[in-house]
Amino acid sequence: MADALWTREYAALPGVALKRVDDARHFIMIDQPERLDDLIDVFLKGEDGSRIRRRAPSAAGRR
């Protein structure tokens, strides 16, 4: 049921992928911190096929 709910809720957002982590309850960062770290690393490296859009620095940030 949760998979269907979250898949539907985030379907319109570009680059979003639902990653199920079994045996993690409400706080994955406490229940399975190593698994969360691995998923974040894969996402940031783009190894899961995702594309990370980086924003150009703002004019205020340039000197």
Side-chain angles (χ1 to χ4, degrees), residues 3-61:
D3 287 347
L5 170 70
W6 295 117
T7 298
R8 183 181 66 245
E9 291 296 316
Y10 292 108
L13 296 175
V16 172
L18 178 66
K19 301 293 182 183
R20 171 182 270 288
V21 178
D22 293 326
D23 299 323
R25 298 179 196 265
H26 190 71
F27 296 104
I28 186 176
M29 68 291 282
I30 294 170
D31 297 333
Q32 293 192 36
E34 296 85 11
R35 180 68 177 129
L36 178 61
D37 288 347
D38 291 344
L39 289 169
I40 292 171
D41 285 342
V42 166
F43 172 76
L44 291 175
K45 292 175 184 174
E47 294 172 355
D48 63 346
S50 64
R51 289 186 292 145
I52 301 169
R53 287 186 280 153
R54 302 190 193 284
R55 287 190 247 168
S58 66

